[in-house]
Amino acid sequence: MMKILSTKISLKTKLLAVLTFLSFCSPTLAQNQATWIWYPGDFEVWLSNKMQNRRTERGSFFPPFWKLDSHYNLVDFHKDFDLPVAEEVLLTVEGQFNVKIDGKAIAGFPKKITVPAGKHRVSLKVFCQDRVPAIFVQGKKVVSDASWLVTFEDKEWIDETGKASDQSGTKWLNAGFWNFNSALTPPSKFKLDTKIQQAVKTERKSQSLLLDFGKETFGFIKLQGLKGKGKLKIYYGESKEEALATETCETLDEIEVNEANKKDMTMELSKAFRFVNVQFEAGVSLDGVSMLYEFLPVADRGGFRCSDEQINKIYDVSNYTFHLNTREFFIDGIKRDRWIWSGDAYQSYLMNYYLLFDSPSVTRTLLALRGKDPVTSHINTIMDYTFYWFIGINDYYQYTGDKTFIQQFYPRMQSLMDYCLSRRNSNGMMEGLTGDWVFIDWAEGLSKKGEVSFEQLLLARSLETMATCANIVNDTKNEEKYKQLATELKAKLFTNYWNNEKHALVHSRVDGKQTENVTRYANMFAIFFNYLDEAKKQDVKTHVLLNDKIQKITTPYMRFYELEALCALGEQSYVLKEMKDYWGGMLNLGATSFWEEYNPTKKGDEHYAMYGRPFGKSLCHAWGASPIYLLGKYFLGVKPTSAAYKTYLVEPQLGGLQWMEGKVPTPDGDVKVYCSTQQIKVTGVAGVGTLRFKSKIKPSSKDGEIKALANDLYELTLEKGKTYEVFYGL
């Protein structure tokens, strides 16, 4: 285990730490509680630009591959108040500003104003380029919160309601916020938390130190007692081999030391590593090396334990992997990119719903990925990653019920979908055009030519998402349009891609003809999207998913979906074995976090290589943490059946385990589940739940009425706050 160094902390530091922690809490505000506010989505864009431009490769700046947008640098804020008495109000602002009461400007840059009794409009107009224009307004009733209205337009034309559009049609939006609830913690000062950690092992030589921090970690290296004159180099490694490979390791730091007296120095940029190789010239001395571990302080709400200790270990390492990649946003991997990739993030959203249930991390990431209009390319330049963005919003609504997010950002959804629809070919299909990256997966020989079935399937699901969101914002006309487009495209999927002889969707069409190739991708997504009838599901299971002749998947990224499809088909026993072989295989090789790719046929240092580089592979990749989701949704069996768990299903599946227990978070509390071969215990939460299970004997319960269905299947209704105990037999 890593040691944490105890240090004395000043009262001011403790206060700031508490305030910083509060900024991570769920985005709900107490009545009359002030918070920093900004134009919605702008802080997320600004922060993502800062984070994604920190990437280096061997000391060189390595920027993202895609267009980066900027925040609006001039923003209007206003709100109407009806005060029983006059009120003194404090103002803190990021940027230059003017403040008006009822349209009359107050001279200067006041830090305090008085709002008279009665009905009044308080307005602030803020200009800021290097940070996001933001305000913190604190009175008794006059406080800044999400109910304030904002616009980036200058010419406002207010209608009778006082809330209408400007001359160009741009409407006022509710302000963005993230619980920066103190004037002392403006958005521009945001940083992740840190804590001191020590290496568990140090190998010291005259001019070098090799440190092992015991497991994969992330943070800032701190040099202690640095003195002398000369060069010092730090080589980072997720493996010992990488840290020692001074010519080919992915990340490093180089310092010119010129210190007459001993000095502590902390590196400017955080890095991912387990091993650190510090080498210094003869004129340099060093007392020791520690690190500042950097993290987002968000607590687990979900959990899982079972009778199989290897599965428990897989869950724990998945948990740790996920936390390492949950930072300002959900990122792909901590060593290499440290960027926000939509495909990686989509899986992180799903894991989040079963571990953290931290909605702000989801919405921050969605907004950072979307950026601003006009749309000039796919998200991350990848066609499928654009569709994951839409589907991620569908899932976000299903798990949280947050209509406000959709109402605010529906126009950005529309413009992105318009872009996608404009790039269809003459057959109404998506086909890679110049500038498009059709990714799907890292797989040798995987064709991306023509009309790929996987892309059509993702577009169909995205159109269904648009129909759902159009309904939420009462856009009836476009709701019907999106429904019709989705229905037509799903019909084309089976007309153009289903092959009765192969019992599967083929991979693609080229020049209007089916190719011979069958891959797993479209077929497995069609299962858990519920696009297949029962006969086709069984065909796909037999002829694709359980067929070793079909090209195997070696990335945890697509193993996630392959195993989800098998779970959806009731193959939990098979999935449990695969989980033990695949993720257990990484553990057997000494993994302390899960990797970007694992191929059991590789040997030794081959496991570290990727992209033509000996240490190019990420050994801590968010998509490697998928057992969190699989165990929560398909073994504990908890999932919403309507938005925000208004109705939900608990369908525990042991899959060969003797017992399991865990918690699944919801907006209104945690569903607790225990299941053995003879007993099930469930504690319900808000909404109406359904416990569904199979039993070879007639089950019994003193806590509710069990209803018998067909084929040894039974159901029990779960009410809020009640615990139910069922005795049954497998």
Side-chain angles (χ1 to χ4, degrees), residues 44-45 48-53 55 61-70 329-333 336-345 365 367-372 376-383 385-386 435 437 442:
E44 294 79 359
V45 167
S48 68
N49 288 346
K50 284 188 67 176
M51 187 195 74
Q52 294 187 108
N53 283 288
R55 178 179 175 180
F61 170 54
F62 198 117
F65 301 148
W66 47 85
K67 179 190 75 167
L68 297 180
D69 292 316
S70 295
F329 305 90
F330 291 126
I331 63 171
D332 64 329
R336 196 186 57 243
D337 293 15
R338 296 167 59 185
W339 293 342
I340 311 169
W341 291 94
S342 184
D344 306 61
T365 305
L367 291 172
L369 284 165
R370 174 58 183 87
K372 301 291 188 67
T376 59
S377 67
H378 283 296
I379 290 176
N380 305 129
T381 73
I382 300 176
M383 185 189 293
Y385 279 28
T386 295
W437 179 2
W442 296 121

Side-chain angles (χ1 to χ4, degrees), residues 58 233-237 243 246 249 251-252 275-279:
R58 295 192 61 79
K233 296 183 179 180
I234 305 173
Y235 303 97
Y236 299 88
T246 58
C249 65
T251 54
L252 54 81
F275 295 89
V276 176
N277 178 11
V278 183
Q279 297 186 359

Side-chain angles (χ1 to χ4, degrees), residues 460-504:
R461 191 64 157 186
S462 299
L463 286 164
E464 290 176 336
T465 296
M466 288 302 301
T468 298
C469 294
N471 175 266
I472 290 170
V473 301
N474 297 316
D475 183 4
T476 306
K477 179 181 177 181
N478 281 308
E479 180 186 3
E480 291 306 312
K481 168 190 166 183
Y482 295 130
K483 280 182 179 178
Q484 182 177 349
L485 287 170
T487 300
E488 291 172 355
L489 187 54
K490 286 165 67 176
K492 287 181 180 180
L493 263 174
F494 294 99
T495 301
N496 295 323
Y497 296 99
W498 185 263
N499 187 304
N500 286 321
E501 293 180 2
K502 297 179 184 292
H503 305 278

Side-chain angles (χ1 to χ4, degrees), residues 225-227 259-264 285 287:
L226 184 63
K227 183 181 177 182
E259 301 291 341
N261 300 308
K262 288 186 177 182
K263 179 183 178 180
D264 291 351
S285 64
D287 289 345

Side-chain angles (χ1 to χ4, degrees), residues 706-722:
I706 298 174
K707 297 179 181 179
L709 307 176
N711 301 319
D712 296 329
L713 195 63
Y714 297 86
E715 286 186 352
L716 175 66
T717 299
L718 307 172
E719 297 181 16
K720 176 183 176 181
K722 292 185 178 181

Side-chain angles (χ1 to χ4, degrees), residues 50 126 172 189 324 349 447 494 553 560 582 612 621 685 723:
K50 284 188 67 176
V126 184
W172 293 85
K189 301 297 183 184
L324 285 171
Y349 307 149
S447 174
F494 294 99
I553 292 171
F560 180 108
Y582 189 79
H621 223 68
V685 292
T723 298

Side-chain angles (χ1 to χ4, degrees), residues 4-263:
I4 301 174
L5 184 66
S6 297
T7 56
K8 293 184 178 179
I9 304 175
S10 69
L11 181 60
K12 182 179 179 182
T13 302
K14 288 181 179 178
L15 175 60
L16 287 173
V18 170
L19 292 171
T20 300
F21 176 78
L22 288 174
S23 75
F24 294 107
C25 299
S26 176
T28 55
L29 295 173
Q31 189 175 10
N32 298 328
Q33 178 184 355
T35 192
W36 283 93
I37 60 173
W38 51 80
Y39 189 86
D42 270 12
F43 173 71
E44 294 79 359
V45 167
W46 175 83
L47 184 63
S48 68
N49 288 346
K50 284 188 67 176
M51 187 195 74
Q52 294 187 108
N53 283 288
R54 292 178 189 151
R55 178 179 175 180
T56 62
E57 278 195 9
R58 295 192 61 79
S60 297
F61 170 54
F62 198 117
F65 301 148
W66 47 85
K67 179 190 75 167
L68 297 180
D69 292 316
S70 295
H71 62 273
Y72 296 118
N73 53 35
L74 184 63
V75 176
D76 270 350
F77 302 80
H78 79 253
K79 184 177 177 180
D80 296 330
F81 295 92
D82 189 357
L83 303 179
V85 295
E87 190 168 303
E88 190 174 82
V89 178
L90 302 177
L91 305 177
T92 311
V93 180
E94 294 254 79
Q96 297 173 263
F97 70 99
N98 67 32
V99 58
K100 298 176 182 178
I101 298 177
D102 300 327
K104 296 180 180 179
I106 299 173
F109 298 94
K111 295 184 178 180
K112 184 188 300 182
I113 61 172
T114 299
V115 181
K119 295 182 178 181
H120 301 284
R121 171 168 293 184
V122 179
S123 307
L124 287 91
K125 193 166 189 175
V126 184
F127 170 78
C128 197
Q129 284 186 309
D130 63 325
R131 294 156 289 153
V132 174
I135 64 172
F136 187 91
V137 179
Q138 179 66 73
K140 289 184 178 179
K141 291 193 173 183
V142 180
V143 297
S144 50
D145 58 25
S147 65
W148 282 60
L149 301 176
V150 300
T151 182
F152 62 88
E153 296 283 349
D154 183 52
K155 296 178 180 179
E156 302 138 24
W157 298 86
I158 308 303
D159 71 359
E160 294 177 357
T161 67
K163 188 184 175 181
S165 62
D166 58 37
Q167 192 176 37
S168 67
T170 300
K171 291 187 176 181
W172 293 85
L173 298 178
N174 289 100
F177 73 106
W178 183 27
N179 287 359
F180 293 99
N181 297 335
S182 166
L184 300 175
T185 58
S188 65
K189 301 297 183 184
F190 168 74
K191 289 184 178 179
L192 297 174
D193 274 15
T194 59
K195 60 183 178 183
I196 296 174
Q197 291 185 338
Q198 304 289 353
V200 298
K201 183 180 179 181
T202 302
E203 297 177 20
R204 187 171 195 127
K205 297 181 180 178
S206 59
Q207 302 304 137
S208 69
L209 292 171
L210 179 63
L211 302 106
D212 178 3
F213 285 85
K215 60 181 178 180
E216 179 89 13
T217 189
F218 189 90
F220 305 87
I221 283 296
K222 184 175 183 179
L223 306 174
Q224 298 164 328
L226 184 63
K227 183 181 177 182
K229 187 173 183 178
K231 290 184 178 180
L232 181 146
K233 296 183 179 180
I234 305 173
Y235 303 97
Y236 299 88
E238 292 187 302
S239 62
K240 186 175 182 179
E241 291 86 346
E242 183 179 11
L244 293 174
T246 58
E247 297 298 320
T248 53
C249 65
E250 293 281 307
T251 54
L252 54 81
D253 280 314
E254 183 173 328
I255 303 161
E256 286 285 348
V257 181
N258 189 7
E259 301 291 341
N261 300 308
K262 288 186 177 182
K263 179 183 178 180

